[in-house]
Amino acid sequence: MTRLPAVLALALLPLVLASLCWDPAMLGAVAQRDPGLARTILLELRLPRTALAVLIGGALGLGGAAMQGLLRNALASPDVLGPSTGASLGAVFAGYFLGGGVLAVAAGGITGALLALALLLALAGPAAGTATLVLAGVAISALAGALVNLALSLAPSPYALYDVMFWLLGSLADRSLPQLAIAGPIVLVAGAVLLRQARALDSLALGEDVAETLGVDVARLRWTVVIATGVMVGAGVAVAGSIGFVGLVVPHLVRPLVGNRPGATLLPAMLAGAVLLVAADMAVRVPVNGQELKLGVLTALLGAPFFIWLVVKGR
């Protein structure tokens, strides 16, 4: 469906506007009393939150589609196979043991995601079966999760447990323009690199030997996808915490609409991921028992049943 990216982009635009103008009655009342405060709310709170939802949702959708195309496995995604947990470990380590600020946390998240992906390829191989891939991802996630818990127990600050758990649940609340300025360029550059691999991923779907005869450097493609995905996921996790299942669910929704071609799935998956995360972020702003639900909790509640359905279907 060649018009799918345009349809998704048109669906994204009103969601972005609605996210920026969330609770228009409150924003209008503030603007009447203090226009400067209303401008501050819009530019320094709503704009970073909405822009990060678009960027991180797009990164997760694109990263999931690229990983599934590279590994030729429908269960491959950054959160299922370990990169998200690795990014969390790297960000926690950088933030609490190196005393770093936003930039150091972002660098730690990217490093952790890259190490997790490299370990996944080393354990499972580039064309592993479903069982091997999932087991390797579970092992990496378990190890990284255990190390996160160890870091929490050894953290120097008594408030570290509360702060890190709040962050690990995944949220875009109270994000700032400096965080957007750090994550934005990283995600955009890495995303552009992945989008350029569309033709190579389509060739790889025919098999590594066929791809090689068509001029694809399979080894280079593998490391390009791994590094670009790790960089995107690491930057997103470092800013927003762990937001799961977007990279798993979105490619499955998009792929049948593009003829099941891995390369053709990339751009629609990116746009659909942005649509999904902006809509989810708007949903969590509705208070539950007077509190805002964490974004990662909502995506997990939606994605976990989908993952179970995939496992049952595959069986």
Side-chain angles (χ1 to χ4, degrees):
M1 185 176 180
T2 57
R3 297 181 180 179
L4 183 59
V7 171
L8 291 171
L10 289 176
L12 179 61
L13 180 59
L15 284 174
V16 168
L17 295 176
S19 178
L20 289 172
C21 302
W22 181 260
D23 197 354
M26 182 276 291
L27 197 61
V30 172
Q32 290 181 352
R33 297 178 183 177
D34 190 343
L37 178 59
R39 189 181 304 109
T40 299
I41 292 174
L42 184 62
L43 296 180
E44 297 188 13
L45 294 177
R46 300 282 177 82
L47 178 61
R49 181 168 186 163
T50 303
L52 284 171
V54 173
L55 286 171
I56 295 174
L60 293 173
L62 176 58
M67 288 297 296
Q68 290 177 14
L70 175 69
L71 298 175
R72 286 164 284 173
N73 195 300
L75 295 181
S77 73
D79 46 283
V80 174
L81 300 183
S84 293
T85 313
S88 299
L89 173 61
V92 168
F93 183 85
Y96 283 92
F97 288 93
L98 300 181
V102 176
L103 185 60
V105 171
I110 292 170
T111 303
L114 288 174
L115 290 175
L117 277 172
L119 183 58
L120 176 70
L121 286 181
L123 288 177
T130 300
T132 303
L133 193 69
V134 172
L135 286 174
V138 168
I140 294 170
S141 296
L143 176 60
L147 292 176
V148 167
N149 293 332
L150 177 62
L152 291 177
S153 65
L154 298 177
S157 169
Y159 301 103
L161 178 62
Y162 173 79
D163 291 341
V164 174
M165 287 305 297
F166 178 85
W167 173 75
L168 287 176
L169 291 175
S171 176
L172 292 171
D174 301 324
R175 295 306 181 260
S176 63
L177 287 173
Q179 290 172 312
L180 173 61
I182 291 173
I186 296 173
V187 171
L188 290 175
V189 171
V193 171
L194 279 181
L195 289 174
R196 294 187 63 181
Q197 313 308 313
R199 180 175 296 180
L201 288 174
D202 279 340
S203 300
L204 185 62
L206 303 174
E208 291 190 8
D209 293 337
V210 176
E212 291 280 1
T213 61
L214 294 175
V216 176
D217 187 338
V218 175
R220 181 179 179 181
L221 172 65
R222 184 179 302 127
W223 285 110
T224 299
V225 171
V226 166
I227 292 173
T229 301
V231 167
M232 284 198 315
V233 171
V237 170
V239 171
S242 182
I243 300 174
F245 291 101
V246 175
L248 175 69
V249 173
V250 167
H252 280 275
L253 299 178
V254 170
R255 192 178 297 110
L257 303 177
V258 294
N260 293 306
R261 290 170 48 206
T265 305
L266 296 182
L267 180 58
M270 181 184 72
L271 294 171
V275 168
L276 176 61
L277 205 62
V278 172
D281 184 56
M282 291 174 60
V284 299
R285 298 186 206 179
V286 178
V288 178
N289 291 331
Q291 295 184 353
E292 181 177 301
L293 187 66
K294 298 297 177 289
L295 184 58
V297 175
L298 178 61
T299 58
L301 288 174
L302 296 175
F306 187 84
F307 181 69
I308 294 172
W309 175 77
L310 285 178
V311 173
V312 172
K313 180 183 178 182
R315 184 188 66 183

